[in-house]
Amino acid sequence: MTTFDIIKKLSSDRGENIKDVAKKLGFGENLFYKWKTQSPTSDKLEAVADYFNVTTDYLLGRTTEPQLKHYDDKTFAAIAKSFKADNEAYTQLFESLPSLSDEELVVVNNMVQSLIELKQKKS
């Protein structure tokens, strides 16, 4: 799906049309149509993401998850502890780097898991 298609769907889901959304954001009413052939600027893309409460990656079609996953501190700590215990080589790497927060460890864990899944799909 293109950015235009994603915005069109998000607008439709809200009972709005894309021209009205563009006007509400202070854009020209045909801006989104231009995004069919032109890349959006980061400031406008960010404004649209904020309006729909989605990530810019979702608008760009880089992910199918509209929002970032949010974890509470307890969940971050549990994931980080599990990641450290299950991945001794990574733990050694992290110990040689400046201290990473539990949230940063979760991000790294998600990246590593994505790479593992990708490698398994290619095998």
Side-chain angles (χ1 to χ4, degrees), residues 4 7 10 13 15 18 23 32 35 44 49-50 67 74-75 88 93 99 102:
F4 173 81
I7 293 170
L10 289 169
D13 290 348
I18 58 174
K23 286 183 199 176
F32 298 136
W35 289 2
K44 289 190 167 92
D50 289 345
Q67 298 172 331
K74 186 177 178 180
T75 305
E88 189 175 318
L93 171 66
S99 173
D102 288 346

Side-chain angles (χ1 to χ4, degrees), residues 1-3 6 10 45-46 48-49 54-68:
M1 239 201 270
T2 67
T3 300
I6 293 167
L10 289 169
L45 188 68
E46 185 177 342
V48 175
V54 298
T55 64
T56 54
D57 278 346
Y58 179 74
L59 291 176
L60 293 171
R62 294 178 178 168
T63 181
T64 57
E65 293 294 324
Q67 298 172 331
L68 294 175

Side-chain angles (χ1 to χ4, degrees), residues 72-122:
D72 59 27
D73 289 342
K74 186 177 178 180
T75 305
F76 271 125
I79 293 171
K81 182 177 179 182
S82 171
F83 180 69
K84 285 180 180 178
D86 293 341
N87 298 283
E88 189 175 318
Y90 293 113
T91 302
Q92 290 172 0
L93 171 66
F94 294 137
E95 287 173 354
S96 69
L97 298 173
S99 173
L100 296 176
S101 70
D102 288 346
E103 185 174 0
E104 291 167 327
L105 283 171
V106 170
V107 170
V108 172
N109 180 48
N110 289 341
M111 291 183 335
V112 170
Q113 294 301 321
S114 294
L115 288 171
I116 290 169
E117 288 172 17
L118 181 62
K119 187 171 183 172
Q120 288 172 345
K121 285 179 185 178
K122 288 182 178 180

Side-chain angles (χ1 to χ4, degrees), residues 10-30:
L10 289 169
S11 299
S12 177
D13 290 348
R14 281 189 169 193
E16 300 175 312
N17 67 54
I18 58 174
K19 287 186 177 188
D20 290 338
V21 171
K23 286 183 199 176
K24 285 180 183 179
L25 292 170
F27 305 153
E29 66 180 34
N30 292 315

